[in-house]
Each structure stands twice: as structure tokens, then as C-alpha cells.
Amino acid sequence: MGKLVIVAIGGNSLVKDNGRDSVQDQYEAVCETAVNIVDMVEEGFNVVVTHGNGPQVGFGLRRSEIANEIASMPPMPLVNCVADTQGGIGYQIQQALTNEFAKRGINKKVATVITQVEVSSDDPNFKNPTKPVGSFFTIKQAEEMKKEHPDWVFVEDSGRGYRRVVPSPKPIDIVEKDAIKSLIESGYVVIAVGGGGIPVVKTGDNTYVGVDAVIDKDFATSLLAKQINAETLIITTGVSRVCINFGKPNQKALDKITVNETKQYVLENHFAPGSMLPKIEASLSFLENNGSRVIITNPESLKKAINEKAGTHILKQLLGHNLT
Ligand SMILES: Nc1ncnc2c1ncn2[C@@H]1O[C@H](COP(=O)(O)OP(=O)(O)O)[C@@H](O)[C@H]1O
Ligand SMILES: NC(=O)OP(=O)(O)O
């Protein structure tokens, strides 16, 4: 079996026009990413796919709220919005990969696992929403909406505008990890922990119950990567490389960095919370738990990145050095 690589597809990387693009537009973006993933499989890598749902889960939540406001339709709890986006985006990735394999005459099976991810009911993040979801707004639009919905919380998201935030507890365990492992061992390309997984808490009698939150898919992916012993973690997002001084005149794209250098950049606040910071924290956690390398890049650079010709590579040590 080839080296096990886990590829996380950013929810924003599938949305090109702030929520005004159609489901078909999203499928086209998924198909473009699928071409790059199948390229990796053709090169002999054993690939597991995860994906975000930040924009999509916010759109779903808003659809439900509007349907409730104007037509008294029963509202959809946030946890069910997560489950719906996991199924909907998983379906698109599954179909795009299956079709791309068929087009190239590759005999490879694809399966999406509906994945519940356990969180703690005591997680302090339930009281402090941080996960940006849905569309980007101007400050004026955000202030107007806040007047109508005083309980909504908005944050500025990496210079791209203001977004609503929802609670984002940390993942503790992936409930379906054994099913995921079995499918990988049987030769499937598995799609799992979509949207960070459906958040559930364990009750006193060892049963699970869903909770309203959106888990960060980068943390859930890093946890899955550890639980399946992946060798490489790849996070695809809207930028080809991670930068220091992001958005400033002295912005500098990073090519290869060590764990220690990355930690220093975190201390110097180079990575925005809610967007790049969780990717970096998830990467460090993966590398400190037996992972070998992390690559952060955009979907179109995947093939070049795996061959070290694109992307930001975070490594335990650089060739000729021993830095960790
Ligand atoms: N230091 C940084 N380097 C590069 N991009 C950054 C940095 N800090 C914030 N960003 C922003 O974070 C975005 C990635 O976060 P986000 O869009 O929320 O992720 P996702 O693709 O998982 O949905 C990038 O597209 C960029 O706009
Ligand atoms: N759930 C999640 O982290 O989604 P994004 O990666 O799209 O923000």
C-alpha cells in the first residue's frame, strides 16, 4: 500500500463568489480538486479526503432561519445543518472522484463515511463562538444585521470582511474511525470528517447526542490523521502558500519551515485566528504526534506540492539540520 496522505479541502476554496455561486459552480470547483487528487493516486499515494463546510453550513443555517421567519417552517438545528453539508459536499466529492477514476480507466473505489466527532460538553468554546460561517459582509451590513439579531456574533475574517461565528469545540475522538480504517485497508479512497464531523457528546449511559456547533475541519483532520497513522497531512485552501506579514506590504510567502520556526511565527501573531491559525495549530499537533510532513497550498497546486515544487512545507527538520 502506498504512503497514506490525508488531504483536507477548505470550504472557502470551493466557493468562488461569496455564496452567490450555485451548487453546480461548487461541483465544478470540486471536480477541479478531484483531478488533482486522482493525479496523486496515480502517483501511488493512498489518499483520504476531508473537507470543510464553513461557508456552506452558514448558508444552510440562514436558509433555515429565513424559511422559519417567512413561512414558519421548523428551524433546522445547527448540528443537522452540519450533517446536511457533510452529506451534500461528500456526495459531490465522491461523484467527482468516481467519475475521474472512470475517465482514466483506474479501478479505484470511493466511499464517504458519515462521521460523528466527539466533543466535550464542558468545552469552553461553547460559550465563546469563534468559527466563521456563511457569507462575508461589510461592517455596515454586519451592524444592520446585529440590530435585527442581537444574539448574533460577528468577527473580521482575515481582511475579507465580517462573518457570523458559531461555537467550535475541539474534537476528542472520531466515532467511526474503525470503519474508516477498514475501508482504507480495503483499498477505498475514503471521504470522512466532512465539515469537521458532526459534533456529538457522550451521555452518562454511553450514548451519543448531537450538539449545535461547527468543529474546525483542520483540527478534526489532524486528529483523524493521527488515528489512521497518516504520513502526510495536506491542507488545501485559498492561498498557494502561507505568509508572514499577511496582507501587509512586507508580506512574504513561506516555502519550507520547521516546527520551531512555525511556533515562533505563531508567537509573533502571523496567522489569523479562525482562518490560518487553526491550520497551523492542527499541523503542529500532527507533526508532534508522529506525522512526517504537512503541506499547505491551494487545490490547483496539489500535484506540484506533493513533489515539493509548490506550497508551504512544514517539516520536523530540514535536510542537514536537526531542529526539533
Ligand atoms: N498568514 C497567512 N498566510 C496566508 N493566508 C492567510 C494568513 N492569515 C490569514 N490568511 C487567510 O486565511 C485563508 C484561509 O482560511 P479559510 O479561508 O478560513 O480556510 P478554508 O480554506 O479552510 O475555508 C487564506 O485564504 C487567507 O485569506
Ligand atoms: N468546518 C470547517 O472548519 O470548515 P472550513 O474549513 O470551511 O472553515
Side-chain angles (χ1 to χ4, degrees):
M1 199 182 273
K3 282 187 178 163
L4 188 56
V5 176
I6 188 159
V7 181
I9 306 171
N12 277 307
S13 76
L14 302 177
V15 175
K16 307 269 188 264
D17 192 21
N18 197 20
R20 279 177 293 273
D21 40 6
S22 67
V23 172
Q24 184 58 26
D25 292 330
Q26 178 171 288
Y27 184 62
E28 278 157 26
V30 167
C31 287
E32 285 165 23
T33 302
V35 168
N36 299 307
I37 292 173
V38 171
D39 282 347
M40 286 171 51
V41 174
E42 258 193 329
E43 286 202 19
F45 292 99
N46 196 14
V47 181
V48 172
V49 181
T50 72
H51 62 86
N53 68 344
Q56 299 84 355
V57 75
F59 304 154
L61 184 65
R62 193 65 199 122
R63 265 186 221 117
S64 153
E65 288 165 347
I66 292 167
N68 178 253
E69 283 158 20
I70 66 171
S72 300
M73 302 281 286
M76 179 79 81
L78 179 58
V79 62
N80 292 77
C81 294
V82 173
D84 282 0
T85 55
Q86 187 183 93
I89 302 171
Y91 153 66
Q92 290 190 324
I93 299 173
Q94 180 168 306
Q95 188 173 80
L97 287 174
T98 303
N99 289 348
E100 191 61 30
F101 283 130
K103 226 189 274 176
R104 299 195 202 183
I106 300 171
N107 181 20
K108 195 85 187 160
K109 295 166 286 185
V110 186
T112 305
V113 176
I114 292 295
T115 319
Q116 303 174 89
V117 171
E118 188 186 341
V119 298
S120 165
S121 55
D122 298 332
D123 190 312
N125 291 298
F126 277 112
K127 295 202 176 94
N128 176 32
T130 54
K131 177 77 200 155
V133 296
S135 306
F136 294 85
F137 299 104
T138 62
I139 184 143
K140 211 165 158 237
Q141 288 171 320
E143 281 167 358
E144 283 303 311
M145 282 187 277
K146 188 94 185 128
K147 277 186 210 152
E148 219 178 303
H149 308 277
D151 55 323
W152 289 8
V153 182
F154 286 88
V155 294
E156 201 283 325
D157 187 351
S158 301
R160 297 177 291 187
Y162 287 76
R163 289 174 92 188
R164 260 174 98 176
V165 283
V166 297
S168 191
K170 294 283 178 292
I172 300 173
D173 189 28
I174 291 158
V175 179
E176 286 79 18
K177 59 182 174 300
D178 291 336
I180 296 168
K181 278 186 207 159
S182 297
L183 285 165
I184 296 168
E185 282 157 16
S186 305
Y188 280 80
V189 171
V190 181
I191 301 154
V193 297
I198 304 161
V200 295
V201 295
K202 226 181 215 166
T203 60
D205 60 357
N206 268 344
T207 57
Y208 292 106
V209 59
V211 280
D212 286 330
V214 175
I215 300 170
D216 194 293
K217 70 100 182 33
D218 300 309
F219 291 129
T221 303
S222 172
L223 177 62
L224 178 63
K226 285 178 234 165
Q227 295 190 333
I228 62 173
N229 290 317
E231 194 247 3
T232 300
L233 164 64
I234 306 183
I235 300 177
T236 70
T237 185
V239 286
S240 62
R241 285 200 164 111
V242 179
C243 298
I244 49 173
N245 301 312
F246 180 70
K248 297 182 186 155
N250 58 343
Q251 170 174 314
K252 182 177 169 243
L254 300 167
D255 176 9
K256 283 197 174 77
I257 45 173
T258 64
V259 164
N260 286 349
E261 285 167 335
T262 310
K263 284 182 179 169
Q264 186 57 35
Y265 292 141
V266 170
L267 290 176
E268 291 167 7
N269 296 320
H270 284 289
F271 311 123
S275 57
M276 191 49 76
L277 185 60
K279 298 182 199 319
I280 297 291
E281 289 174 340
S283 304
L284 291 174
S285 162
F286 172 67
L287 291 170
E288 288 174 340
N289 285 276
N290 289 331
S292 293
R293 63 170 172 162
V294 172
I295 305 169
I296 302 178
T297 193
N298 51 9
E300 51 272 35
S301 304
L302 258 179
K303 190 177 173 185
K304 276 164 82 182
I306 195 116
N307 292 310
E308 298 187 26
K309 295 199 176 80
T312 296
H313 296 246
I314 311 177
L315 304 162
K316 287 184 176 172
Q317 56 192 43
L318 297 181
L319 207 62
H321 299 265
N322 189 2
L323 296 163
T324 54

